[in-house]
Amino acid sequence: LAFTYRDLYILWIFLVMSQVWIFWLDKYRLLRASSHSVFASSKLDETAHVMMSGPCGILAACIVFRLYGQKSGAAGLEIVQRFWKQTIEHGSVLARVVKRDTIVVIMLMVVGLHMYLHRLVLQALRAYTAGEVIDHDRDLDYSATSAKIASNWFNANPVFCLRSKYIFEGFEPCVKFKGGKEYLLEPNPKLGCYYENREAGTMNIGKDEWDRVAKSIKNFLPEALSPSRRPGTSGRHRTSGSSRNG
Protein backbone atom coordinates (compact mmCIF):
# COMPACT_ATOMS: atom_id res chain seq x y z
CA LEU A 1 0.00 0.00 0.00
CA ALA A 2 2.95 2.34 0.51
CA PHE A 3 3.53 2.45 -3.26
CA THR A 4 -0.05 2.92 -4.47
CA TYR A 5 -2.02 6.02 -5.31
CA ARG A 6 -3.51 7.66 -2.23
CA ASP A 7 -7.15 7.33 -3.36
CA LEU A 8 -6.76 3.55 -3.46
CA TYR A 9 -6.80 3.53 0.33
CA ILE A 10 -10.56 4.08 0.14
CA LEU A 11 -10.86 0.97 -2.03
CA TRP A 12 -8.86 -1.10 0.46
CA ILE A 13 -10.94 0.19 3.39
CA PHE A 14 -14.18 -0.90 1.72
CA LEU A 15 -12.55 -4.20 0.78
CA VAL A 16 -11.77 -4.89 4.44
CA MET A 17 -15.32 -3.92 5.42
CA SER A 18 -16.69 -6.32 2.81
CA GLN A 19 -14.49 -9.15 4.10
CA VAL A 20 -15.70 -8.56 7.67
CA TRP A 21 -19.34 -8.57 6.51
CA ILE A 22 -18.91 -11.78 4.50
CA PHE A 23 -17.13 -13.49 7.41
CA TRP A 24 -19.88 -12.77 9.94
CA LEU A 25 -22.64 -13.58 7.43
CA ASP A 26 -21.08 -16.97 6.67
CA LYS A 27 -20.55 -17.62 10.37
CA TYR A 28 -24.21 -16.87 11.11
CA ARG A 29 -25.41 -19.07 8.26
CA LEU A 30 -23.19 -21.95 9.35
CA LEU A 31 -24.01 -21.82 13.06
CA ARG A 32 -27.64 -20.64 13.03
CA ALA A 33 -29.21 -21.27 9.61
CA SER A 34 -27.80 -24.75 8.84
CA SER A 35 -28.88 -27.97 10.51
CA HIS A 36 -25.69 -29.82 9.61
CA SER A 37 -22.57 -29.53 7.47
CA VAL A 38 -20.43 -32.17 5.80
CA PHE A 39 -16.72 -31.65 5.19
CA ALA A 40 -15.52 -34.69 3.30
CA SER A 41 -12.00 -33.33 2.74
CA SER A 42 -9.93 -30.15 2.67
CA LYS A 43 -9.34 -30.26 -1.11
CA LEU A 44 -11.50 -27.22 -1.78
CA ASP A 45 -9.77 -25.17 0.91
CA GLU A 46 -6.34 -26.17 -0.35
CA THR A 47 -7.32 -25.30 -3.93
CA ALA A 48 -8.47 -21.84 -2.84
CA HIS A 49 -5.13 -21.21 -1.11
CA VAL A 50 -3.22 -22.25 -4.22
CA MET A 51 -5.38 -20.06 -6.46
CA MET A 52 -4.64 -17.08 -4.22
CA SER A 53 -1.01 -17.26 -5.34
CA GLY A 54 -2.03 -15.64 -8.65
CA PRO A 55 -3.53 -12.41 -7.22
CA CYS A 56 -0.73 -12.19 -4.67
CA GLY A 57 1.82 -12.57 -7.47
CA ILE A 58 0.16 -9.71 -9.38
CA LEU A 59 0.40 -7.52 -6.27
CA ALA A 60 4.11 -8.38 -6.04
CA ALA A 61 4.56 -7.36 -9.71
CA CYS A 62 2.77 -4.07 -9.01
CA ILE A 63 5.17 -3.37 -6.15
CA VAL A 64 8.13 -4.05 -8.45
CA PHE A 65 6.70 -1.66 -11.05
CA ARG A 66 6.19 1.07 -8.45
CA LEU A 67 9.73 0.60 -7.20
CA TYR A 68 10.99 0.89 -10.77
CA GLY A 69 8.98 4.08 -11.23
CA GLN A 70 10.92 5.75 -8.43
CA LYS A 71 14.16 5.08 -10.30
CA SER A 72 13.36 8.05 -12.55
CA GLY A 73 12.59 10.31 -9.58
CA ALA A 74 8.83 9.75 -9.30
CA ALA A 75 7.14 10.67 -6.02
CA GLY A 76 7.40 7.96 -3.38
CA LEU A 77 9.50 6.83 -0.47
CA GLU A 78 12.69 8.78 0.01
CA ILE A 79 14.62 5.68 1.06
CA VAL A 80 13.78 3.99 -2.28
CA GLN A 81 14.89 7.03 -4.26
CA ARG A 82 18.14 7.13 -2.32
CA PHE A 83 18.67 3.43 -3.00
CA TRP A 84 18.25 3.89 -6.77
CA LYS A 85 20.55 6.91 -6.75
CA GLN A 86 23.33 4.97 -5.04
CA THR A 87 22.79 2.00 -7.36
CA ILE A 88 23.13 4.13 -10.48
CA GLU A 89 26.19 5.96 -9.14
CA HIS A 90 28.02 2.71 -8.39
CA GLY A 91 27.05 1.19 -11.75
CA SER A 92 25.37 -1.82 -10.18
CA VAL A 93 24.09 -4.71 -12.28
CA LEU A 94 20.60 -4.07 -10.90
CA ALA A 95 20.62 -0.57 -12.36
CA ARG A 96 21.61 -1.91 -15.79
CA VAL A 97 19.13 -4.79 -15.81
CA VAL A 98 16.04 -3.02 -14.48
CA LYS A 99 15.12 -0.59 -17.23
CA ARG A 100 12.27 0.31 -19.54
CA ASP A 101 12.83 -2.54 -21.99
CA THR A 102 13.03 -5.28 -19.35
CA ILE A 103 10.56 -4.22 -16.66
CA VAL A 104 7.69 -6.27 -18.14
CA VAL A 105 9.82 -9.42 -18.25
CA ILE A 106 10.98 -8.80 -14.69
CA MET A 107 7.37 -8.38 -13.52
CA LEU A 108 6.41 -11.70 -15.14
CA MET A 109 9.38 -13.39 -13.49
CA VAL A 110 8.33 -11.95 -10.12
CA VAL A 111 4.81 -13.35 -10.60
CA GLY A 112 6.14 -16.82 -11.43
CA LEU A 113 8.64 -16.76 -8.55
CA HIS A 114 5.99 -15.68 -6.08
CA MET A 115 3.58 -18.41 -7.18
CA TYR A 116 6.33 -21.02 -6.81
CA LEU A 117 7.32 -19.81 -3.32
CA HIS A 118 3.66 -19.48 -2.36
CA ARG A 119 3.12 -23.14 -3.20
CA LEU A 120 6.22 -24.20 -1.26
CA VAL A 121 5.07 -22.30 1.83
CA LEU A 122 1.61 -23.89 1.63
CA GLN A 123 3.11 -27.37 1.39
CA ALA A 124 5.37 -26.67 4.37
CA LEU A 125 2.46 -25.36 6.46
CA ARG A 126 0.29 -28.31 5.46
CA ALA A 127 2.98 -30.76 6.55
CA TYR A 128 3.51 -28.86 9.81
CA THR A 129 -0.17 -28.58 10.77
CA ALA A 130 -1.28 -31.99 9.46
CA GLY A 131 -2.89 -34.17 12.09
CA GLU A 132 -2.95 -37.91 12.39
CA VAL A 133 -3.77 -39.62 9.13
CA ILE A 134 -6.29 -42.43 9.58
CA ASP A 135 -6.36 -45.00 6.82
CA HIS A 136 -9.68 -46.40 5.68
CA ASP A 137 -10.51 -49.87 6.92
CA ARG A 138 -11.18 -51.73 3.68
CA ASP A 139 -12.41 -54.78 5.58
CA LEU A 140 -15.19 -52.85 7.35
CA ASP A 141 -18.61 -53.88 6.11
CA TYR A 142 -20.94 -51.30 4.56
CA SER A 143 -23.71 -52.08 7.03
CA ALA A 144 -21.51 -51.04 9.98
CA THR A 145 -20.77 -47.65 8.43
CA SER A 146 -24.34 -47.10 7.23
CA ALA A 147 -25.64 -47.74 10.75
CA LYS A 148 -23.66 -44.72 12.01
CA ILE A 149 -24.30 -42.25 9.16
CA ALA A 150 -27.89 -41.16 8.50
CA SER A 151 -27.46 -40.09 4.88
CA ASN A 152 -26.41 -42.55 2.20
CA TRP A 153 -26.75 -43.00 -1.54
CA PHE A 154 -30.13 -44.70 -1.22
CA ASN A 155 -32.16 -42.50 1.17
CA ALA A 156 -30.63 -39.25 -0.12
CA ASN A 157 -31.76 -40.06 -3.66
CA PRO A 158 -35.42 -39.04 -4.11
CA VAL A 159 -35.71 -41.05 -7.34
CA PHE A 160 -34.61 -44.22 -5.55
CA CYS A 161 -37.13 -43.55 -2.74
CA LEU A 162 -39.95 -43.16 -5.27
CA ARG A 163 -38.81 -46.27 -7.13
CA SER A 164 -38.82 -48.28 -3.88
CA LYS A 165 -42.41 -47.19 -3.22
CA TYR A 166 -44.03 -47.56 -6.65
CA ILE A 167 -41.87 -50.00 -8.60
CA PHE A 168 -40.20 -52.42 -6.19
CA GLU A 169 -42.42 -55.19 -4.91
CA GLY A 170 -42.07 -56.95 -1.60
CA PHE A 171 -40.01 -54.15 0.00
CA GLU A 172 -40.82 -51.51 2.55
CA PRO A 173 -40.42 -48.04 0.92
CA CYS A 174 -37.17 -46.24 1.59
CA VAL A 175 -37.70 -43.15 3.79
CA LYS A 176 -36.26 -39.99 2.22
CA PHE A 177 -33.43 -38.43 4.22
CA LYS A 178 -33.87 -34.81 5.32
CA GLY A 179 -31.57 -32.81 7.57
CA GLY A 180 -33.02 -32.45 11.05
CA LYS A 181 -35.49 -35.33 10.49
CA GLU A 182 -33.08 -38.19 11.06
CA TYR A 183 -35.36 -39.64 13.74
CA LEU A 184 -37.87 -40.59 11.02
CA LEU A 185 -35.45 -42.96 9.33
CA GLU A 186 -36.04 -46.66 9.84
CA PRO A 187 -33.65 -49.51 9.14
CA ASN A 188 -34.31 -51.17 5.81
CA PRO A 189 -31.44 -53.62 5.15
CA LYS A 190 -32.99 -54.96 1.92
CA LEU A 191 -32.64 -51.48 0.38
CA GLY A 192 -29.24 -50.65 1.87
CA CYS A 193 -30.47 -48.54 4.83
CA TYR A 194 -29.18 -49.54 8.26
CA TYR A 195 -29.37 -46.28 10.21
CA GLU A 196 -31.59 -46.06 13.30
CA ASN A 197 -31.65 -43.11 15.67
CA ARG A 198 -31.94 -44.85 19.01
CA GLU A 199 -31.45 -41.60 20.96
CA ALA A 200 -34.72 -40.25 19.55
CA GLY A 201 -36.68 -43.40 20.20
CA THR A 202 -39.53 -41.50 21.88
CA MET A 203 -40.03 -39.49 18.68
CA ASN A 204 -39.93 -42.47 16.37
CA ILE A 205 -43.61 -43.47 16.56
CA GLY A 206 -44.79 -46.31 14.38
CA LYS A 207 -47.88 -46.37 12.16
CA ASP A 208 -49.92 -48.46 14.63
CA GLU A 209 -49.25 -46.02 17.44
CA TRP A 210 -50.20 -43.07 15.24
CA ASP A 211 -53.48 -44.84 14.37
CA ARG A 212 -54.20 -45.44 18.03
CA VAL A 213 -53.58 -41.80 18.91
CA ALA A 214 -55.73 -40.58 16.01
CA LYS A 215 -58.57 -42.90 17.06
CA SER A 216 -58.40 -41.66 20.66
CA ILE A 217 -58.59 -38.05 19.51
CA LYS A 218 -61.48 -38.84 17.15
CA ASN A 219 -63.47 -40.42 19.99
CA PHE A 220 -62.64 -37.69 22.47
CA LEU A 221 -63.46 -34.59 20.40
CA PRO A 222 -67.23 -35.18 19.87
CA GLU A 223 -67.72 -35.88 23.55
CA ALA A 224 -65.63 -32.89 24.64
CA LEU A 225 -67.44 -30.50 22.27
CA SER A 226 -71.00 -31.66 23.01
CA PRO A 227 -73.25 -29.10 24.82
CA SER A 228 -73.84 -31.45 27.74
CA ARG A 229 -70.09 -31.37 28.58
CA ARG A 230 -69.90 -27.58 28.88
CA PRO A 231 -69.52 -26.24 32.45
CA GLY A 232 -72.85 -25.27 34.03
CA THR A 233 -74.93 -26.38 31.05
CA SER A 234 -76.42 -29.46 32.70
CA GLY A 235 -77.57 -27.53 35.75
CA ARG A 236 -79.36 -24.89 33.69
CA HIS A 237 -81.17 -27.53 31.64
CA ARG A 238 -82.37 -29.31 34.74
CA THR A 239 -83.59 -26.07 36.28
CA SER A 240 -85.53 -25.02 33.19
CA GLY A 241 -87.04 -28.48 32.89
CA SER A 242 -88.22 -28.50 36.52
CA SER A 243 -89.75 -25.05 36.05
CA ARG A 244 -91.79 -26.19 33.08
CA ASN A 245 -92.98 -29.23 35.00
CA GLY A 246 -94.06 -27.06 37.85
Side-chain angles (χ1 to χ4, degrees), residues 7-217:
D7 291 343
L8 289 180
Y9 282 102
I10 300 176
L11 177 63
W12 284 102
I13 290 173
F14 280 98
L15 178 62
V16 172
M17 294 172 61
S18 301
Q19 293 294 327
V20 173
W21 163 253
I22 293 173
F23 171 78
W24 285 107
L25 177 63
D26 288 345
K27 184 175 182 180
Y28 168 79
R29 293 176 60 188
L30 177 64
L31 299 180
R32 296 290 181 266
S34 301
S35 60
H36 69 285
S37 299
V38 178
F39 300 95
S41 68
S42 60
K43 293 293 184 181
L44 183 61
D45 188 56
E46 294 173 1
T47 304
H49 282 101
V50 173
M51 292 177 63
M52 279 299 297
S53 63
C56 293
I58 294 176
L59 289 177
C62 293
I63 292 176
V64 171
F65 182 77
R66 297 297 296 180
L67 291 174
Y68 163 74
Q70 297 187 41
K71 180 182 179 181
S72 58
L77 295 178
E78 183 179 354
I79 185 173
V80 178
Q81 295 177 354
R82 189 164 55 248
F83 167 78
W84 280 118
K85 184 178 180 181
Q86 294 177 359
T87 303
I88 295 173
E89 290 177 354
H90 291 82
S92 175
V93 178
L94 183 62
R96 296 194 301 268
V97 172
V98 181
K99 53 185 179 180
R100 184 186 183 91
D101 299 334
T102 60
I103 185 60
V104 176
V105 178
I106 294 175
M107 291 172 62
L108 294 176
M109 292 176 60
V110 168
V111 173
L113 179 62
H114 173 83
M115 294 180 67
Y116 175 73
L117 296 177
H118 193 114
R119 184 67 180 270
L120 289 181
V121 172
L122 289 178
Q123 291 179 353
L125 290 176
R126 189 183 305 119
Y128 178 76
T129 59
E132 181 182 359
V133 178
I134 302 177
D135 295 331
H136 293 287
D137 187 358
R138 299 183 181 275
D139 297 330
L140 185 64
D141 191 70
Y142 165 78
S143 59
T145 304
S146 179
K148 299 178 181 178
I149 302 176
S151 175
N152 57 43
W153 186 91
F154 303 102
N155 59 22
N157 187 348
V159 176
F160 180 83
C161 296
L162 292 174
R163 189 184 295 116
S164 68
K165 182 176 182 179
Y166 295 104
I167 297 179
F168 296 165
E169 297 181 358
F171 296 96
E172 287 291 332
C174 180
V175 179
K176 173 70 171 63
F177 168 80
K178 185 175 180 59
K181 302 288 186 178
E182 291 85 354
Y183 61 89
L184 296 176
L185 298 178
E186 298 180 356
N188 196 345
K190 293 183 178 180
L191 295 180
C193 301
Y194 296 85
Y195 180 81
E196 181 180 7
N197 192 352
R198 295 186 177 88
E199 297 180 356
T202 56
M203 303 178 66
N204 191 9
I205 301 177
K207 183 178 182 301
D208 296 338
E209 296 181 359
W210 277 118
D211 294 340
R212 181 176 56 82
V213 173
K215 184 177 180 180
S216 300
I217 296 175

